[in-house]
Structures are given as structure tokens and as C-alpha cells.
Amino acid sequence: MEIFVTAVTIFVLAIFVGFEIITKIPPILHTPLMSGSNAISGITLIGALYSSGLPDNNITKILGFLSVIFATVNVVGGFLVTHRMLAMFKKKD
Amino acid sequence: MNLVNALNLSYLLASVLFIVGLKQLGHPKTATKGNILGAVGMFIAVVATLFDQQIISYEWIAIGIAIGSIIGIILAIKIQMTAMPQLVAVLNGFGGIASVLVAGSALQISIPKYEYLVNYQEIISIVFSAIIGGVTFSGSFIAFGKLQGLVTEKAVRYPGDQVVKIIVGLACIGLGVYSTLYPTNEPIYWILSAISLLLGILLVVPIGGADMPVVISLLNSYSGIAASATGFVLNNNVLIIAGSLVGASGIILTQIMCKAMNRSLTNVLFGGFGAVASEMKDDGDFYHGKIKSTSAEEVAMLLDIARTVVIVPGYGMAVAQAQHAVRDLYQLLTARGIDVTFAIHPVAGRMPGHMNVLLAEADIPYDRLKEMDEINSTFENVDLVIVNGANDVTNPLAKTDPKSPIAGMPILDVDKAKTVVVIKRSLSPGFAGVPNPLFIADNCLMLFGDGKKATQEMINALKES
């Protein structure tokens, strides 16, 4: 129970931080922000690494392996395409 | 300091980088740096995890990361900028399904323990991951299909559709409760995941293509919440923090978009533009005999005497890949001393800010792009407006007809300019499915054709004149 309460505390506080840091985003950045935050949601990759790397269970290994692939596509594709978009804004400066 | 503490401190560092990175992504000057910080945070979290003693088998991890990276890199590099919303949807869906699989895997490991003692925090979080992750996955792919034209863009409605959604939603909740009470019954988890996929489809199919950006943003938020739920499964703070940050930012973006369209989220999710459209009468009579169509040569003559020109890019320009032709036109006009600006509606294109990305790709200077609020008061002094493939965002019905599905949506007041030229392939209605009275206005000329071809013809005509 103690762990759970700590986890909920972190969860709620992080939501507030999320609301606070993303205010008044100029419209030109909506798309990059969406794809950038999308990449961060690929943090599930950490969970995928755990299930993929555990010993002695073939089913978790398969599930883990697939989730590593999916999450990595999310992370790598997300950060990279955001960078590509932002680079287009940059070169005109 | 033991390894567990080192690991958790690395996760803290990653979380801080995510927070700072997201913050910087919200400002034009620091956005690139913010994105890199986010990526560095992810890298630290991944490397730290690989040092964890629980992880003893690396082959599959290495292969998985290699495959995922290759696919991710190819997608990110090959994607056309016009297809950006689709890509975001697909990546989002991958994040969602990863959460479902990780939760399923955690359940696998815990089932033997559950024979003796059920960990309720864990099983409830697993159930949440399955439902939210499943909805995110299938919903995102339907959104992708709609934008890509693989699934009908129309809002698919049928009698009793709301009831069906509620029943499937209740089935998810029911199975979730059952799964929590009897966690050792593993097949139920996979049935639950499958029904969640069905729910995602049912939720997104009835929403029209025009609302997909809002849906994608909302699903983005869900994918964050799903990651957060996975964090509760694994008792992992970095997942909880990163997930809830994304969840919150997705909700904020969703709100901003709804506001730009003057619609409530409920209306987007359960109302639907297209649903109203199907009830509208045929447009034939509306336009009949009142349209003045023009030619590229005639427009060139108008451009010859114009002092100020505003170009309104829309999704039609984007699908025609006309941004480079538009840039050429811009350069030609500017070279002749004409003041050319671009009017950007907040929801032009298929995602807020999407149009800015497209025009930036074509090297159109950023200071020439004017936001709606800035440019609307100046239209009276504009000699010529060229609307390239935009429809709903210039539709005066939004102001005049309270019953129209776009009623109250802020629009670009192009009708106030001296002359308006609308480049459009046909008189077909826009996403909102309503006729546009602008097209029959006295000062409006229609230039029928593909956005790119019509622009090139204008350029040629200008050069010859």
C-alpha cells in the first residue's frame, strides 16, 4: 500500500507539472510538440526491456521482444521526425 | 551507493530531462534543444535499465531495439511532411500496443504468485494498461487509415451506435473487474485486450476526418496514460512521470484545438462534423448559375495590378504538394514589389501548426506567415487573396448560420478583400460538408484545378505577361 500511495503521489504531481510547463504554446509548435511528447510516451520501452530480459519464460520473452520493437519505433521515429520538423524552422534564422 | 539507488537516480535524471525538454519544446527558440534533451533522457533511462540486475538476457533486447530503430528511422526520414499527422498516429499506436504487451508480460510473471496472494495495485494497473493501450492502438490506426484514405473519412454513424459503444465499454469494464478478482484466469486478460481494440475502433470510426487531429492528440494523451499505468504495474517512477507528462500535454493540445474550432470535446467525440453533413441538402442548387470561374491568365492580370496579396494555404494545397510552387509564386511576386503574406488558420492542414511546417519546408520565410488574429483586421486593405485548397476555414457560414456545423468557428475573413481567387478542384464541400457562400460572393472568382498545377499556370502566365 505504501508503495502505491507514493506512486499515486508522483503520478498526480507529474500531471500538474505537465499542465504547468505546457502553457501558451505558439500554434507553429503544436505539431512538433505533439510528435515530441509522443516520443516520450515511448518510455514504455523501459517496461519492454524488463520483460524481454527476464530469464526462463518464453512467453514473456516473446511479448517483451515485440514490445521492445514497437516501443523503439515509437521512440526513435518520434524524436527523429520531430527533429526533422524543427530543423525546417531553424534554417531560416 | 547500491545499484538500485543508482538506477533510480538515473530515472530521476531522465524525468528531469523530459520535463525540461517538454518545456523547451513549447518555445520556438529552444524547441530543437528541448527535443534533444528528451531524447537524451530516454537514452539515459534505457542504458540505466540495461544495467539492472534483473535483466540477464540481452540477445532479444538487442535484436528488438535494432529492428525498432531501423523501422523508426526509415519512417521518420521517408515520411512526407504532408503525411505528418498520419505518422504521429502510427507511432502513437505503437506506444499503445507496447503498453498492452508489457502489462500482459507482467501478468504472466505474476500469475504463479497470485495463487497465494494477489497484488491489487499491480493487477488493477495491468487492466488499465490493457484497456487504455488497446484503445490507443486500434484508435490510432483507424485515425491513420482515415487520414491516409484507407478508411472512409466520413463519420460512420448507424442507428444505436452510441448504445453499441456503451455496451462494448461496459464489457471492457466488466472484464476488467473480473480480471482483477480472478487474475489467475489469464485468457480473460487477452479477451479484455481484444475487446479494448474493438472499443478503440468503435470510438474513432464515427468521427469524421476533419476531427482526426483532435482525436490523434487525445490518443497521444491516452498513450501517455497507458505508459503511466505500466509504470504502476512495474513500480517504476520514470514511466509514471513521463507518462503523466505526456498525458497532461496531450489534453492541453486537445483543448487548444477544440477551442480553435469552437467545439467541445464531447461534440468532437460523439457529435461529429460528418454526421450533420449527411443531413444537408445537395449542393447543386446552392451554387447553380452563381459561380464565376476564371483562368490562370486572368489571375495573372489581377496580380499584375495588385499591391498586396494574401495567400491562404489549406489542406488542398498540401495534398497537391503545391507548397514549392506556392513558394515560387511568392518569390516571383515579391520580386515585382508586391507585398505577399500567408494567412494561417489555427487548424489549417490536418494538425495545428502543420501548415507552418509545410511552408517552412518550402523555404517560405517565417515572418511572412501571419496568424489568423493578426491578419483578419487587414483583409479590407488587401487587393487579392488567393485561397489555395482551403474551404472550411474561409466559410462565412461559420459567422452567419448558427445551425451550420461550423457555426462559431473562427474563420479567415477573406471575403472582405477586394478580390478573392479560390483554387479548388471542384465545388465539393470541405470536411465539414457544408457549401461555402464565399464561392458565390461578388468579389470571388473560382480557379478550378489542382493546387499545384493552377499555381504553376499562374506563374507561367505572370512570366509571359
Side-chain angles (χ1 to χ4, degrees):
Chain A
M1 197 61 198
E2 222 169 272
I3 299 172
F4 178 68
V5 172
T6 313
V8 172
T9 309
I10 290 170
F11 175 69
V12 173
L13 292 181
I15 284 183
F16 276 99
V17 172
F19 273 109
E20 284 306 313
I21 55 170
I22 304 165
T23 41
K24 291 187 194 159
I25 328 138
I28 73 157
L29 285 176
H30 283 175
T31 300
L33 184 73
M34 208 188 285
S35 73
S37 67
N38 188 10
I40 292 176
S41 78
I43 188 74
T44 312
L45 176 57
I46 304 301
L49 294 178
Y50 277 114
S51 50
S52 182
L54 289 173
D56 304 330
N57 187 331
N58 284 330
I59 298 176
T60 59
K61 274 212 175 107
I62 294 167
L63 293 173
F65 175 63
L66 290 175
S67 53
V68 168
I69 295 178
F70 287 131
T72 307
V73 174
N74 189 185
V75 168
V76 173
F79 282 120
L80 206 59
V81 86
T82 308
H83 192 77
R84 214 183 123 199
M85 266 191 272
L86 292 170
M88 284 172 188
F89 290 123
K90 211 138 190 223
K91 64 186 167 195
K92 257 74 64 186
D93 288 347
Chain B
M1 194 168 62
N2 64 28
L3 207 59
V4 176
N5 283 339
L7 181 68
N8 281 325
L9 285 176
S10 313
Y11 285 161
L12 176 64
L13 177 60
S15 304
V16 170
L17 289 171
F18 291 149
I19 292 172
V20 178
L22 271 178
K23 172 98 184 148
Q24 297 193 341
L25 261 174
H27 298 278
K29 283 204 179 112
T30 53
T32 311
K33 210 175 123 210
N35 187 49
I36 293 171
L37 284 186
V40 170
M42 189 66 74
F43 183 75
I44 290 173
V46 168
V47 171
T49 306
L50 293 176
F51 279 110
D52 193 328
Q53 283 163 330
Q54 287 180 41
I55 294 183
I56 53 156
S57 132
Y58 289 95
E59 311 87 12
W60 290 104
I61 291 177
I63 299 170
I65 288 187
I67 296 175
S69 300
I70 291 167
I71 299 174
I73 291 170
I74 291 174
L75 283 176
I77 291 176
K78 293 268 175 184
I79 191 82
Q80 298 240 325
M81 280 298 147
T82 42
M84 193 54 67
Q86 286 95 308
L87 180 69
V88 174
V90 166
L91 295 176
N92 206 19
F94 283 163
I97 194 69
S99 290
V100 177
L101 297 175
V102 171
S105 164
L107 181 65
Q108 266 289 322
I109 296 161
S110 292
I111 278 180
K113 290 187 247 163
Y114 288 166
E115 301 285 354
Y116 307 100
L117 181 69
V118 178
N119 176 345
Y120 283 101
Q121 175 197 331
E122 190 179 76
I123 184 66
I124 291 173
S125 310
I126 287 173
V127 164
F128 267 103
S129 281
I131 297 177
I132 305 170
V135 167
T136 306
F137 175 68
S138 59
S140 293
F141 272 84
I142 294 290
F144 162 79
K146 280 191 177 250
L147 292 174
Q148 193 71 27
L150 302 173
V151 179
T152 173
E153 280 182 347
K154 289 211 180 74
V156 179
R157 309 301 291 270
Y158 49 91
D161 57 347
Q162 310 287 19
V163 180
V164 172
K165 274 186 267 182
I166 291 168
I167 290 172
V168 176
L170 286 177
C172 277
I173 295 170
L175 284 168
V177 172
Y178 184 89
S179 213
T180 307
L181 295 175
Y182 305 99
T184 48
N185 190 347
E186 199 197 350
I188 295 292
Y189 174 83
W190 296 110
I191 295 172
L192 173 66
S193 303
I195 304 264
S196 303
L197 294 181
L198 177 65
L199 183 63
I201 296 171
L202 290 175
L203 286 174
V204 178
V205 163
I207 303 174
D211 286 330
M212 276 312 119
V214 181
V215 172
I216 292 172
S217 176
L218 190 66
L219 288 168
N220 191 15
S221 176
Y222 286 179
S223 75
I225 305 287
S228 215
T230 313
F232 277 90
V233 176
L234 306 171
N235 265 317
N236 186 316
N237 288 343
V238 73
L239 261 78
I240 296 177
I241 295 172
S244 39
L245 286 173
V246 176
S249 81
I251 290 284
I252 294 176
L253 279 176
T254 310
Q255 272 176 343
I256 292 174
M257 275 185 258
C258 285
K259 220 170 172 183
M261 297 193 294
N262 191 41
R263 317 229 340 263
S264 71
L265 186 57
T266 331
N267 185 260
V268 170
L269 296 180
F270 300 105
F273 266 172
V276 186
S278 57
E279 292 156 22
M280 296 283 296
K281 62 176 166 36
D282 177 39
D283 306 323
D285 288 345
F286 185 87
Y287 294 124
H288 185 72
K290 299 170 201 158
I291 291 287
K292 292 183 292 292
S293 97
T294 185
S295 63
E297 288 72 25
E298 203 181 340
V299 179
M301 279 186 265
L302 288 168
L303 285 169
D304 241 359
I305 53 167
R307 304 288 311 150
T308 48
V309 171
V310 171
I311 298 175
V312 179
Y315 190 70
M317 181 208 80
V319 283
Q321 294 282 338
Q323 61 270 39
H324 296 97
V326 168
R327 187 255 339 265
D328 294 343
L329 178 66
Y330 158 78
Q331 285 172 342
L332 187 61
L333 294 175
T334 308
R336 294 184 174 204
I338 300 171
D339 178 60
V340 186
T341 46
F342 292 81
I344 313 290
H345 190 276
V347 291
R350 282 189 154 176
M351 218 182 235
H354 187 200
M355 202 50 73
N356 304 67
V357 175
L358 293 178
L359 296 178
E361 187 199 9
D363 284 325
I364 290 168
Y366 174 57
D367 61 0
R368 294 279 96 191
L369 312 184
K370 304 289 177 198
E371 303 292 339
M372 180 177 67
D373 294 337
E374 193 185 345
I375 204 159
N376 257 354
S377 56
T378 65
F379 274 116
E380 283 162 27
N381 306 320
V382 172
D383 296 322
L384 185 68
V385 172
I386 300 173
V387 178
N388 195 330
N391 189 349
D392 295 331
V393 297
T394 59
N395 194 333
L397 272 186
K399 288 193 166 161
T400 55
D401 181 4
K403 275 184 282 188
S404 141
I406 55 169
M409 178 170 114
I411 56 155
L412 290 162
D413 299 324
V414 295
D415 50 331
K416 292 199 183 123
K418 295 194 182 87
T419 311
V420 183
V421 171
V422 176
I423 301 174
K424 207 173 176 316
R425 271 182 300 195
S426 70
L427 284 174
S428 66
F431 268 140
V434 286
N436 191 339
L438 171 69
F439 300 167
I440 53 173
D442 289 336
N443 60 344
C444 180
L445 300 166
M446 299 298 294
L447 179 56
F448 290 109
D450 170 82
K452 185 176 179 179
K453 224 172 121 236
T455 307
Q456 278 164 347
E457 282 167 7
M458 266 191 248
I459 293 170
N460 292 339
L462 264 174
K463 282 181 177 161
E464 282 163 21
S465 68

